Amino acid sequence: MSTVPVSTETVGAGPVGADLVGADPVGAAPVGALLGAAPAHLAAVGVPDFADVPRTAGAEVTELDWRPPASGEPELAWKLAELTAHARVEAANAEAVSRLLAVRPVWRDVLPAREALPVLDDRASGRRLLLHAGPPIAWERMCGPMRAGVVGAALLEGWADTPREAERLADAGAFAFEPCHHHDAVGPMGGIISPSMPLIAVEDPATGRRSYSNLNEGAGRCLRYGALGDDVMERLRWMGATLAPALHEALAARPDGVDLRAVTAQALQMGDECHSRNTAASMLLLRELAAPLSRTPDGPEVIDFLADNHYWFLNFSMAAAKLATSAAAGVPDSTLVTAFARNGVEVGIRVSGLGDTWFTAPATRIRGMYFAGYGPDDANPDIGDSAIAETYGLGGFSLAAAPAITGFVGGTVEEALRISRDMARITLTRHEAYRLPMLGGVGAPVGIDLRAVLDTGIVPIVTTGISHREPGIGQIGAGLTHAPMECFRKALEAFPVPGDAVPVPGAAVPASVDAVPVPGDAVPVVPAAPGVPGSPSRPDAGA
């Protein structure tokens, strides 16, 4: 901690300086002559509590938000210095950013998961595979809402007749589990995707690459939040039997699909951040399909459902973000973060130059607003693949576009503006199409830079829903949370400093030495360190 005089009202000796630091050494100028008469103006750098000493003595103290790079670890700080302004890293990041921004996500189709993703074709393979949110996790370690999602999926597929039977089958190892991210898919909250669930297919016309997400159930009791019951199952069956075929037929009338980038860009101008607030985007998307939907046999019923579902666009936002960030993956020497996902127990990130390795840490708690009768003790830690939106510059990164959301997730409008400014300090560029009107129309900050997170100590902020920690209950609120710093520390530790050799495009990147294989899964994971919390973000930084 140090205190540095910034300015003074007058020049000359005064009692305040003496009170702050004691008697002047023999032969030295009086401290008062340095600080001036009260009120002295000081800038404080370091432990925040130290600023109280001069403040209680009458000084006006401005606290500077500064932390030692790389969490103060000398070896990591040295590696960070080596990677900063490194020519090969800068070139790799330019390539990764170019790939990310070049993607134009278009909604092409709605089809059963087993048709979209052959790995889920249980009829052909006999394998009962379920996809889930976040980094890899086994049934035994799953949190309550994700376990409820597994039970609901087993009931939906006819693999079990009762919740208890589904749990017994899971306990016996009858089901296999893999992350959605491993199959170009993403799912909100528990993120469970089973073979018969309808998926939206989002495509980049220039490359033909696709990404997927399930259909959004709407508000209230939903499987994605861990709710179970006849009402939940009835809605899921209706979505498969009625909603999905109607959407498929309506899209057939639009051979060019629906441009999701255009919808997102317009929604940001209308008060959405396209993660926790999707009111405008959902209505814009409905407008695109309303005419052809009205001509389908179940059109009126489907339109009524979509008109009442203000969360409808979330899954499209996620799939579009997954498509773009996947395009930036696998660039040797790039420090751009390509995935950020949570399974309710751990949070994991992937980095372009480190391939498919997950770097994990314990899931963080959520600061939020709760429904009546619930509070923080009821909440499950952070969960869901929806943080892919933040990885693409939306959600918490575009919080300045959605000041009204503070009434839902907590905080203030001023804090929302500060958070978007902070996120710009840890990203590589701004999105050319996604503009933030409350900040003068600048582009949304996009492309999380591993180096910048460790250098500034600022971690990505996420807007999110809150699930009850017990299975079967569902959503109990919404709020803000952050990525654990430990994920980024581990990734930096594993990141090799490029040598002089020219990188070979598409060359494999070795996993970190402490990565451990997941049984039945070829993707390595750097495990979370139990009891090591993430470093909370300082929303006032850089304001």
PDB file of all heavy atoms in Angstrom, residues 135 339-341 346-351 354 358-363 450 453-454 459 482-494 526 528 532-535:
ATOM      1  N   PRO A 135     -18.212 -28.171 -18.167  1.00  0.00           N
ATOM      2  CA  PRO A 135     -17.154 -29.157 -18.403  1.00  0.00           C
ATOM      3  C   PRO A 135     -17.602 -30.545 -17.960  1.00  0.00           C
ATOM      4  O   PRO A 135     -18.652 -30.683 -17.303  1.00  0.00           O
ATOM      5  CB  PRO A 135     -15.994 -28.627 -17.543  1.00  0.00           C
ATOM      6  CG  PRO A 135     -16.655 -27.826 -16.464  1.00  0.00           C
ATOM      7  CD  PRO A 135     -17.867 -27.221 -17.092  1.00  0.00           C
ATOM      8  N   ALA A 339     -14.453 -20.879 -24.905  1.00  0.00           N
ATOM      9  CA  ALA A 339     -15.587 -21.476 -24.202  1.00  0.00           C
ATOM     10  C   ALA A 339     -15.504 -21.100 -22.729  1.00  0.00           C
ATOM     11  O   ALA A 339     -14.417 -20.978 -22.165  1.00  0.00           O
ATOM     12  CB  ALA A 339     -15.603 -23.000 -24.352  1.00  0.00           C
ATOM     13  N   PHE A 340     -16.672 -20.919 -22.140  1.00  0.00           N
ATOM     14  CA  PHE A 340     -16.815 -20.554 -20.729  1.00  0.00           C
ATOM     15  C   PHE A 340     -18.137 -21.189 -20.298  1.00  0.00           C
ATOM     16  O   PHE A 340     -19.197 -20.774 -20.747  1.00  0.00           O
ATOM     17  CB  PHE A 340     -16.812 -19.020 -20.618  1.00  0.00           C
ATOM     18  CG  PHE A 340     -17.211 -18.443 -19.281  1.00  0.00           C
ATOM     19  CD1 PHE A 340     -17.237 -19.205 -18.122  1.00  0.00           C
ATOM     20  CD2 PHE A 340     -17.550 -17.107 -19.178  1.00  0.00           C
ATOM     21  CE1 PHE A 340     -17.603 -18.659 -16.904  1.00  0.00           C
ATOM     22  CE2 PHE A 340     -17.919 -16.539 -17.968  1.00  0.00           C
ATOM     23  CZ  PHE A 340     -17.955 -17.327 -16.830  1.00  0.00           C
ATOM     24  N   ALA A 341     -18.059 -22.245 -19.490  1.00  0.00           N
ATOM     25  CA  ALA A 341     -19.254 -23.026 -19.186  1.00  0.00           C
ATOM     26  C   ALA A 341     -19.236 -23.498 -17.745  1.00  0.00           C
ATOM     27  O   ALA A 341     -18.173 -23.665 -17.138  1.00  0.00           O
ATOM     28  CB  ALA A 341     -19.356 -24.214 -20.141  1.00  0.00           C
ATOM     29  N   GLU A 346     -18.505 -27.108 -11.077  1.00  0.00           N
ATOM     30  CA  GLU A 346     -17.280 -26.474 -11.553  1.00  0.00           C
ATOM     31  C   GLU A 346     -17.582 -25.520 -12.704  1.00  0.00           C
ATOM     32  O   GLU A 346     -18.586 -25.664 -13.403  1.00  0.00           O
ATOM     33  CB  GLU A 346     -16.270 -27.528 -12.029  1.00  0.00           C
ATOM     34  CG  GLU A 346     -15.746 -28.429 -10.931  1.00  0.00           C
ATOM     35  CD  GLU A 346     -14.861 -29.530 -11.471  1.00  0.00           C
ATOM     36  OE1 GLU A 346     -14.893 -29.786 -12.700  1.00  0.00           O
ATOM     37  OE2 GLU A 346     -14.145 -30.147 -10.665  1.00  0.00           O
ATOM     38  N   VAL A 347     -16.667 -24.582 -12.883  1.00  0.00           N
ATOM     39  CA  VAL A 347     -16.669 -23.698 -14.042  1.00  0.00           C
ATOM     40  C   VAL A 347     -15.438 -24.037 -14.868  1.00  0.00           C
ATOM     41  O   VAL A 347     -14.364 -24.310 -14.304  1.00  0.00           O
ATOM     42  CB  VAL A 347     -16.624 -22.215 -13.615  1.00  0.00           C
ATOM     43  CG1 VAL A 347     -16.508 -21.304 -14.836  1.00  0.00           C
ATOM     44  CG2 VAL A 347     -17.859 -21.859 -12.803  1.00  0.00           C
ATOM     45  N   GLY A 348     -15.572 -24.048 -16.186  1.00  0.00           N
ATOM     46  CA  GLY A 348     -14.425 -24.343 -17.025  1.00  0.00           C
ATOM     47  C   GLY A 348     -14.306 -23.375 -18.185  1.00  0.00           C
ATOM     48  O   GLY A 348     -15.305 -22.840 -18.670  1.00  0.00           O
ATOM     49  N   ILE A 349     -13.063 -23.137 -18.615  1.00  0.00           N
ATOM     50  CA  ILE A 349     -12.819 -22.348 -19.821  1.00  0.00           C
ATOM     51  C   ILE A 349     -11.941 -23.146 -20.770  1.00  0.00           C
ATOM     52  O   ILE A 349     -11.219 -24.063 -20.365  1.00  0.00           O
ATOM     53  CB  ILE A 349     -12.153 -20.984 -19.522  1.00  0.00           C
ATOM     54  CG1 ILE A 349     -10.729 -21.192 -18.974  1.00  0.00           C
ATOM     55  CG2 ILE A 349     -12.996 -20.158 -18.566  1.00  0.00           C
ATOM     56  CD1 ILE A 349      -9.897 -19.906 -18.928  1.00  0.00           C
ATOM     57  N   ARG A 350     -12.035 -22.792 -22.045  1.00  0.00           N
ATOM     58  CA  ARG A 350     -11.122 -23.303 -23.063  1.00  0.00           C
ATOM     59  C   ARG A 350     -10.459 -22.103 -23.737  1.00  0.00           C
ATOM     60  O   ARG A 350     -11.071 -21.042 -23.870  1.00  0.00           O
ATOM     61  CB  ARG A 350     -11.872 -24.113 -24.122  1.00  0.00           C
ATOM     62  CG  ARG A 350     -12.273 -25.522 -23.693  1.00  0.00           C
ATOM     63  CD  ARG A 350     -13.178 -26.138 -24.738  1.00  0.00           C
ATOM     64  NE  ARG A 350     -13.165 -27.598 -24.715  1.00  0.00           N
ATOM     65  CZ  ARG A 350     -13.888 -28.371 -25.513  1.00  0.00           C
ATOM     66  NH1 ARG A 350     -14.689 -27.813 -26.423  1.00  0.00           N
ATOM     67  NH2 ARG A 350     -13.831 -29.674 -25.425  1.00  0.00           N
ATOM     68  N   VAL A 351      -9.226 -22.295 -24.174  1.00  0.00           N
ATOM     69  CA  VAL A 351      -8.458 -21.228 -24.809  1.00  0.00           C
ATOM     70  C   VAL A 351      -8.044 -21.698 -26.203  1.00  0.00           C
ATOM     71  O   VAL A 351      -7.623 -22.852 -26.383  1.00  0.00           O
ATOM     72  CB  VAL A 351      -7.220 -20.870 -23.963  1.00  0.00           C
ATOM     73  CG1 VAL A 351      -6.389 -19.787 -24.641  1.00  0.00           C
ATOM     74  CG2 VAL A 351      -7.645 -20.427 -22.570  1.00  0.00           C
ATOM     75  N   LEU A 354      -4.849 -23.563 -26.718  1.00  0.00           N
ATOM     76  CA  LEU A 354      -4.661 -24.738 -25.861  1.00  0.00           C
ATOM     77  C   LEU A 354      -5.622 -25.860 -26.224  1.00  0.00           C
ATOM     78  O   LEU A 354      -5.844 -26.785 -25.439  1.00  0.00           O
ATOM     79  CB  LEU A 354      -4.825 -24.351 -24.393  1.00  0.00           C
ATOM     80  CG  LEU A 354      -3.728 -23.427 -23.844  1.00  0.00           C
ATOM     81  CD1 LEU A 354      -4.071 -22.964 -22.428  1.00  0.00           C
ATOM     82  CD2 LEU A 354      -2.372 -24.123 -23.862  1.00  0.00           C
ATOM     83  N   TRP A 358      -9.967 -28.364 -20.855  1.00  0.00           N
ATOM     84  CA  TRP A 358     -10.764 -27.550 -19.934  1.00  0.00           C
ATOM     85  C   TRP A 358      -9.907 -27.165 -18.737  1.00  0.00           C
ATOM     86  O   TRP A 358      -9.175 -28.001 -18.182  1.00  0.00           O
ATOM     87  CB  TRP A 358     -11.970 -28.333 -19.425  1.00  0.00           C
ATOM     88  CG  TRP A 358     -13.077 -28.522 -20.412  1.00  0.00           C
ATOM     89  CD1 TRP A 358     -13.320 -29.644 -21.154  1.00  0.00           C
ATOM     90  CD2 TRP A 358     -14.099 -27.581 -20.753  1.00  0.00           C
ATOM     91  NE1 TRP A 358     -14.428 -29.448 -21.939  1.00  0.00           N
ATOM     92  CE2 TRP A 358     -14.935 -28.197 -21.706  1.00  0.00           C
ATOM     93  CE3 TRP A 358     -14.383 -26.279 -20.339  1.00  0.00           C
ATOM     94  CZ2 TRP A 358     -16.037 -27.556 -22.264  1.00  0.00           C
ATOM     95  CZ3 TRP A 358     -15.484 -25.633 -20.888  1.00  0.00           C
ATOM     96  CH2 TRP A 358     -16.292 -26.271 -21.841  1.00  0.00           C
ATOM     97  N   PHE A 359     -10.014 -25.923 -18.304  1.00  0.00           N
ATOM     98  CA  PHE A 359      -9.343 -25.436 -17.095  1.00  0.00           C
ATOM     99  C   PHE A 359     -10.438 -25.049 -16.108  1.00  0.00           C
ATOM    100  O   PHE A 359     -11.227 -24.137 -16.374  1.00  0.00           O
ATOM    101  CB  PHE A 359      -8.428 -24.263 -17.429  1.00  0.00           C
ATOM    102  CG  PHE A 359      -7.346 -24.635 -18.407  1.00  0.00           C
ATOM    103  CD1 PHE A 359      -7.545 -24.479 -19.771  1.00  0.00           C
ATOM    104  CD2 PHE A 359      -6.159 -25.192 -17.968  1.00  0.00           C
ATOM    105  CE1 PHE A 359      -6.572 -24.856 -20.681  1.00  0.00           C
ATOM    106  CE2 PHE A 359      -5.174 -25.574 -18.877  1.00  0.00           C
ATOM    107  CZ  PHE A 359      -5.379 -25.413 -20.236  1.00  0.00           C
ATOM    108  N   THR A 360     -10.510 -25.765 -15.006  1.00  0.00           N
ATOM    109  CA  THR A 360     -11.683 -25.677 -14.144  1.00  0.00           C
ATOM    110  C   THR A 360     -11.363 -25.161 -12.748  1.00  0.00           C
ATOM    111  O   THR A 360     -10.227 -25.190 -12.290  1.00  0.00           O
ATOM    112  CB  THR A 360     -12.356 -27.056 -14.013  1.00  0.00           C
ATOM    113  OG1 THR A 360     -11.448 -27.964 -13.372  1.00  0.00           O
ATOM    114  CG2 THR A 360     -12.737 -27.616 -15.374  1.00  0.00           C
ATOM    115  N   ALA A 361     -12.420 -24.702 -12.082  1.00  0.00           N
ATOM    116  CA  ALA A 361     -12.356 -24.236 -10.699  1.00  0.00           C
ATOM    117  C   ALA A 361     -13.752 -24.396 -10.108  1.00  0.00           C
ATOM    118  O   ALA A 361     -14.738 -24.543 -10.849  1.00  0.00           O
ATOM    119  CB  ALA A 361     -11.904 -22.776 -10.633  1.00  0.00           C
ATOM    120  N   PRO A 362     -13.881 -24.369  -8.790  1.00  0.00           N
ATOM    121  CA  PRO A 362     -15.212 -24.500  -8.188  1.00  0.00           C
ATOM    122  C   PRO A 362     -16.168 -23.416  -8.673  1.00  0.00           C
ATOM    123  O   PRO A 362     -15.789 -22.261  -8.856  1.00  0.00           O
ATOM    124  CB  PRO A 362     -14.924 -24.358  -6.688  1.00  0.00           C
ATOM    125  CG  PRO A 362     -13.513 -24.818  -6.532  1.00  0.00           C
ATOM    126  CD  PRO A 362     -12.806 -24.352  -7.774  1.00  0.00           C
ATOM    127  N   ALA A 363     -17.422 -23.791  -8.887  1.00  0.00           N
ATOM    128  CA  ALA A 363     -18.441 -22.845  -9.346  1.00  0.00           C
ATOM    129  C   ALA A 363     -18.663 -21.755  -8.304  1.00  0.00           C
ATOM    130  O   ALA A 363     -18.598 -21.997  -7.095  1.00  0.00           O
ATOM    131  CB  ALA A 363     -19.748 -23.580  -9.627  1.00  0.00           C
ATOM    132  N   LEU A 450      -6.978 -14.143 -22.353  1.00  0.00           N
ATOM    133  CA  LEU A 450      -6.416 -14.768 -21.151  1.00  0.00           C
ATOM    134  C   LEU A 450      -5.401 -13.856 -20.480  1.00  0.00           C
ATOM    135  O   LEU A 450      -5.389 -13.699 -19.247  1.00  0.00           O
ATOM    136  CB  LEU A 450      -5.764 -16.099 -21.539  1.00  0.00           C
ATOM    137  CG  LEU A 450      -4.927 -16.807 -20.477  1.00  0.00           C
ATOM    138  CD1 LEU A 450      -5.791 -17.272 -19.329  1.00  0.00           C
ATOM    139  CD2 LEU A 450      -4.178 -17.986 -21.115  1.00  0.00           C
ATOM    140  N   VAL A 453      -7.017 -10.806 -18.541  1.00  0.00           N
ATOM    141  CA  VAL A 453      -7.662 -11.169 -17.278  1.00  0.00           C
ATOM    142  C   VAL A 453      -6.621 -11.278 -16.172  1.00  0.00           C
ATOM    143  O   VAL A 453      -6.804 -10.751 -15.068  1.00  0.00           O
ATOM    144  CB  VAL A 453      -8.437 -12.495 -17.433  1.00  0.00           C
ATOM    145  CG1 VAL A 453      -8.961 -12.976 -16.082  1.00  0.00           C
ATOM    146  CG2 VAL A 453      -9.590 -12.332 -18.416  1.00  0.00           C
ATOM    147  N   LEU A 454      -5.502 -11.949 -16.457  1.00  0.00           N
ATOM    148  CA  LEU A 454      -4.454 -12.102 -15.450  1.00  0.00           C
ATOM    149  C   LEU A 454      -3.731 -10.799 -15.191  1.00  0.00           C
ATOM    150  O   LEU A 454      -3.245 -10.558 -14.079  1.00  0.00           O
ATOM    151  CB  LEU A 454      -3.464 -13.181 -15.899  1.00  0.00           C
ATOM    152  CG  LEU A 454      -3.755 -14.633 -15.518  1.00  0.00           C
ATOM    153  CD1 LEU A 454      -3.786 -14.830 -14.024  1.00  0.00           C
ATOM    154  CD2 LEU A 454      -5.034 -15.144 -16.153  1.00  0.00           C
ATOM    155  N   VAL A 459     -12.261 -10.267 -13.887  1.00  0.00           N
ATOM    156  CA  VAL A 459     -12.775 -11.517 -14.433  1.00  0.00           C
ATOM    157  C   VAL A 459     -14.109 -11.267 -15.148  1.00  0.00           C
ATOM    158  O   VAL A 459     -14.820 -10.316 -14.832  1.00  0.00           O
ATOM    159  CB  VAL A 459     -12.968 -12.577 -13.332  1.00  0.00           C
ATOM    160  CG1 VAL A 459     -11.633 -13.136 -12.896  1.00  0.00           C
ATOM    161  CG2 VAL A 459     -13.728 -12.004 -12.140  1.00  0.00           C
ATOM    162  N   HIS A 482     -19.481 -14.282 -11.706  1.00  0.00           N
ATOM    163  CA  HIS A 482     -18.229 -14.064 -12.430  1.00  0.00           C
ATOM    164  C   HIS A 482     -17.505 -15.377 -12.636  1.00  0.00           C
ATOM    165  O   HIS A 482     -17.773 -16.375 -11.947  1.00  0.00           O
ATOM    166  CB  HIS A 482     -17.315 -13.111 -11.643  1.00  0.00           C
ATOM    167  CG  HIS A 482     -16.996 -13.605 -10.269  1.00  0.00           C
ATOM    168  ND1 HIS A 482     -15.992 -14.512 -10.008  1.00  0.00           N
ATOM    169  CD2 HIS A 482     -17.565 -13.346  -9.068  1.00  0.00           C
ATOM    170  CE1 HIS A 482     -15.956 -14.775  -8.718  1.00  0.00           C
ATOM    171  NE2 HIS A 482     -16.906 -14.082  -8.122  1.00  0.00           N
ATOM    172  N   ALA A 483     -16.590 -15.388 -13.572  1.00  0.00           N
ATOM    173  CA  ALA A 483     -15.746 -16.558 -13.784  1.00  0.00           C
ATOM    174  C   ALA A 483     -14.661 -16.593 -12.721  1.00  0.00           C
ATOM    175  O   ALA A 483     -14.108 -15.553 -12.363  1.00  0.00           O
ATOM    176  CB  ALA A 483     -15.100 -16.492 -15.174  1.00  0.00           C
ATOM    177  N   PRO A 484     -14.335 -17.762 -12.188  1.00  0.00           N
ATOM    178  CA  PRO A 484     -13.270 -17.843 -11.185  1.00  0.00           C
ATOM    179  C   PRO A 484     -11.900 -17.528 -11.792  1.00  0.00           C
ATOM    180  O   PRO A 484     -11.565 -18.021 -12.868  1.00  0.00           O
ATOM    181  CB  PRO A 484     -13.321 -19.307 -10.714  1.00  0.00           C
ATOM    182  CG  PRO A 484     -14.638 -19.834 -11.195  1.00  0.00           C
ATOM    183  CD  PRO A 484     -14.965 -19.067 -12.436  1.00  0.00           C
ATOM    184  N   MET A 485     -11.124 -16.737 -11.091  1.00  0.00           N
ATOM    185  CA  MET A 485      -9.777 -16.417 -11.558  1.00  0.00           C
ATOM    186  C   MET A 485      -8.917 -17.664 -11.681  1.00  0.00           C
ATOM    187  O   MET A 485      -8.011 -17.738 -12.530  1.00  0.00           O
ATOM    188  CB  MET A 485      -9.120 -15.422 -10.600  1.00  0.00           C
ATOM    189  CG  MET A 485      -7.718 -14.999 -10.997  1.00  0.00           C
ATOM    190  SD  MET A 485      -7.669 -14.116 -12.578  1.00  0.00           S
ATOM    191  CE  MET A 485      -8.302 -12.509 -12.065  1.00  0.00           C
ATOM    192  N   GLU A 486      -9.202 -18.680 -10.878  1.00  0.00           N
ATOM    193  CA  GLU A 486      -8.396 -19.893 -10.893  1.00  0.00           C
ATOM    194  C   GLU A 486      -8.381 -20.555 -12.268  1.00  0.00           C
ATOM    195  O   GLU A 486      -7.368 -21.139 -12.671  1.00  0.00           O
ATOM    196  CB  GLU A 486      -8.919 -20.872  -9.836  1.00  0.00           C
ATOM    197  CG  GLU A 486      -8.153 -22.172  -9.730  1.00  0.00           C
ATOM    198  CD  GLU A 486      -6.763 -22.014  -9.152  1.00  0.00           C
ATOM    199  OE1 GLU A 486      -6.403 -20.901  -8.721  1.00  0.00           O
ATOM    200  OE2 GLU A 486      -6.018 -23.017  -9.136  1.00  0.00           O
ATOM    201  N   CYS A 487      -9.490 -20.483 -13.003  1.00  0.00           N
ATOM    202  CA  CYS A 487      -9.524 -21.056 -14.357  1.00  0.00           C
ATOM    203  C   CYS A 487      -8.456 -20.413 -15.233  1.00  0.00           C
ATOM    204  O   CYS A 487      -7.728 -21.097 -15.971  1.00  0.00           O
ATOM    205  CB  CYS A 487     -10.891 -20.835 -14.988  1.00  0.00           C
ATOM    206  SG  CYS A 487     -12.276 -21.641 -14.170  1.00  0.00           S
ATOM    207  N   PHE A 488      -8.353 -19.102 -15.157  1.00  0.00           N
ATOM    208  CA  PHE A 488      -7.417 -18.364 -16.005  1.00  0.00           C
ATOM    209  C   PHE A 488      -5.973 -18.564 -15.536  1.00  0.00           C
ATOM    210  O   PHE A 488      -5.056 -18.634 -16.354  1.00  0.00           O
ATOM    211  CB  PHE A 488      -7.801 -16.884 -16.007  1.00  0.00           C
ATOM    212  CG  PHE A 488      -9.167 -16.639 -16.569  1.00  0.00           C
ATOM    213  CD1 PHE A 488     -10.289 -16.653 -15.748  1.00  0.00           C
ATOM    214  CD2 PHE A 488      -9.347 -16.428 -17.923  1.00  0.00           C
ATOM    215  CE1 PHE A 488     -11.556 -16.454 -16.265  1.00  0.00           C
ATOM    216  CE2 PHE A 488     -10.607 -16.224 -18.462  1.00  0.00           C
ATOM    217  CZ  PHE A 488     -11.725 -16.244 -17.621  1.00  0.00           C
ATOM    218  N   ARG A 489      -5.790 -18.664 -14.230  1.00  0.00           N
ATOM    219  CA  ARG A 489      -4.454 -18.906 -13.702  1.00  0.00           C
ATOM    220  C   ARG A 489      -3.920 -20.243 -14.220  1.00  0.00           C
ATOM    221  O   ARG A 489      -2.760 -20.359 -14.640  1.00  0.00           O
ATOM    222  CB  ARG A 489      -4.484 -18.895 -12.176  1.00  0.00           C
ATOM    223  CG  ARG A 489      -3.092 -18.885 -11.527  1.00  0.00           C
ATOM    224  CD  ARG A 489      -3.134 -19.285 -10.068  1.00  0.00           C
ATOM    225  NE  ARG A 489      -3.551 -20.675  -9.905  1.00  0.00           N
ATOM    226  CZ  ARG A 489      -2.745 -21.713 -10.112  1.00  0.00           C
ATOM    227  NH1 ARG A 489      -1.498 -21.542 -10.515  1.00  0.00           N
ATOM    228  NH2 ARG A 489      -3.197 -22.937  -9.935  1.00  0.00           N
ATOM    229  N   LYS A 490      -4.772 -21.285 -14.197  1.00  0.00           N
ATOM    230  CA  LYS A 490      -4.350 -22.601 -14.682  1.00  0.00           C
ATOM    231  C   LYS A 490      -4.059 -22.584 -16.179  1.00  0.00           C
ATOM    232  O   LYS A 490      -3.122 -23.236 -16.651  1.00  0.00           O
ATOM    233  CB  LYS A 490      -5.429 -23.633 -14.370  1.00  0.00           C
ATOM    234  CG  LYS A 490      -5.543 -24.008 -12.910  1.00  0.00           C
ATOM    235  CD  LYS A 490      -6.651 -25.025 -12.714  1.00  0.00           C
ATOM    236  CE  LYS A 490      -6.736 -25.459 -11.264  1.00  0.00           C
ATOM    237  NZ  LYS A 490      -7.865 -26.399 -11.051  1.00  0.00           N
ATOM    238  N   ALA A 491      -4.881 -21.855 -16.924  1.00  0.00           N
ATOM    239  CA  ALA A 491      -4.656 -21.787 -18.372  1.00  0.00           C
ATOM    240  C   ALA A 491      -3.345 -21.078 -18.696  1.00  0.00           C
ATOM    241  O   ALA A 491      -2.605 -21.507 -19.588  1.00  0.00           O
ATOM    242  CB  ALA A 491      -5.835 -21.075 -19.043  1.00  0.00           C
ATOM    243  N   LEU A 492      -3.056 -20.001 -17.979  1.00  0.00           N
ATOM    244  CA  LEU A 492      -1.789 -19.306 -18.206  1.00  0.00           C
ATOM    245  C   LEU A 492      -0.620 -20.205 -17.850  1.00  0.00           C
ATOM    246  O   LEU A 492       0.401 -20.235 -18.544  1.00  0.00           O
ATOM    247  CB  LEU A 492      -1.735 -18.017 -17.383  1.00  0.00           C
ATOM    248  CG  LEU A 492      -0.433 -17.218 -17.497  1.00  0.00           C
ATOM    249  CD1 LEU A 492      -0.221 -16.734 -18.925  1.00  0.00           C
ATOM    250  CD2 LEU A 492      -0.429 -16.041 -16.526  1.00  0.00           C
ATOM    251  N   GLU A 493      -0.756 -20.945 -16.772  1.00  0.00           N
ATOM    252  CA  GLU A 493       0.296 -21.865 -16.347  1.00  0.00           C
ATOM    253  C   GLU A 493       0.597 -22.890 -17.430  1.00  0.00           C
ATOM    254  O   GLU A 493       1.750 -23.281 -17.652  1.00  0.00           O
ATOM    255  CB  GLU A 493      -0.139 -22.568 -15.061  1.00  0.00           C
ATOM    256  CG  GLU A 493       0.944 -23.300 -14.323  1.00  0.00           C
ATOM    257  CD  GLU A 493       0.443 -23.823 -12.988  1.00  0.00           C
ATOM    258  OE1 GLU A 493      -0.545 -24.587 -12.981  1.00  0.00           O
ATOM    259  OE2 GLU A 493       1.010 -23.451 -11.947  1.00  0.00           O
ATOM    260  N   ALA A 494      -0.449 -23.334 -18.143  1.00  0.00           N
ATOM    261  CA  ALA A 494      -0.283 -24.352 -19.181  1.00  0.00           C
ATOM    262  C   ALA A 494       0.129 -23.768 -20.524  1.00  0.00           C
ATOM    263  O   ALA A 494       0.564 -24.512 -21.412  1.00  0.00           O
ATOM    264  CB  ALA A 494      -1.589 -25.123 -19.348  1.00  0.00           C
ATOM    265  N   VAL A 526      -8.172 -29.923 -16.783  1.00  0.00           N
ATOM    266  CA  VAL A 526      -7.346 -29.547 -15.653  1.00  0.00           C
ATOM    267  C   VAL A 526      -8.289 -29.396 -14.472  1.00  0.00           C
ATOM    268  O   VAL A 526      -9.168 -28.529 -14.474  1.00  0.00           O
ATOM    269  CB  VAL A 526      -6.603 -28.228 -15.913  1.00  0.00           C
ATOM    270  CG1 VAL A 526      -5.813 -27.822 -14.691  1.00  0.00           C
ATOM    271  CG2 VAL A 526      -5.665 -28.399 -17.099  1.00  0.00           C
ATOM    272  N   ALA A 528     -10.398 -28.840 -10.960  1.00  0.00           N
ATOM    273  CA  ALA A 528     -10.542 -27.737 -10.026  1.00  0.00           C
ATOM    274  C   ALA A 528      -9.808 -28.055  -8.740  1.00  0.00           C
ATOM    275  O   ALA A 528      -9.677 -29.200  -8.347  1.00  0.00           O
ATOM    276  CB  ALA A 528     -12.025 -27.498  -9.730  1.00  0.00           C
ATOM    277  N   VAL A 532     -10.430 -23.503  -3.459  1.00  0.00           N
ATOM    278  CA  VAL A 532      -9.755 -22.328  -4.010  1.00  0.00           C
ATOM    279  C   VAL A 532     -10.789 -21.467  -4.712  1.00  0.00           C
ATOM    280  O   VAL A 532     -11.215 -21.776  -5.817  1.00  0.00           O
ATOM    281  CB  VAL A 532      -8.653 -22.720  -5.005  1.00  0.00           C
ATOM    282  CG1 VAL A 532      -7.960 -21.482  -5.550  1.00  0.00           C
ATOM    283  CG2 VAL A 532      -7.645 -23.624  -4.321  1.00  0.00           C
ATOM    284  N   PRO A 533     -11.267 -20.430  -4.083  1.00  0.00           N
ATOM    285  CA  PRO A 533     -12.313 -19.603  -4.690  1.00  0.00           C
ATOM    286  C   PRO A 533     -11.754 -18.743  -5.793  1.00  0.00           C
ATOM    287  O   PRO A 533     -10.559 -18.462  -5.856  1.00  0.00           O
ATOM    288  CB  PRO A 533     -12.812 -18.756  -3.520  1.00  0.00           C
ATOM    289  CG  PRO A 533     -11.606 -18.629  -2.627  1.00  0.00           C
ATOM    290  CD  PRO A 533     -10.853 -19.922  -2.772  1.00  0.00           C
ATOM    291  N   GLY A 534     -12.632 -18.291  -6.684  1.00  0.00           N
ATOM    292  CA  GLY A 534     -12.219 -17.349  -7.707  1.00  0.00           C
ATOM    293  C   GLY A 534     -12.074 -15.967  -7.116  1.00  0.00           C
ATOM    294  O   GLY A 534     -12.566 -15.663  -6.041  1.00  0.00           O
ATOM    295  N   SER A 535     -11.366 -15.106  -7.820  1.00  0.00           N
ATOM    296  CA  SER A 535     -11.187 -13.733  -7.360  1.00  0.00           C
ATOM    297  C   SER A 535     -12.353 -12.897  -7.834  1.00  0.00           C
ATOM    298  O   SER A 535     -12.588 -12.807  -9.032  1.00  0.00           O
ATOM    299  CB  SER A 535      -9.884 -13.170  -7.923  1.00  0.00           C
ATOM    300  OG  SER A 535      -9.771 -11.805  -7.656  1.00  0.00           O
TER     301      SER A 535
END
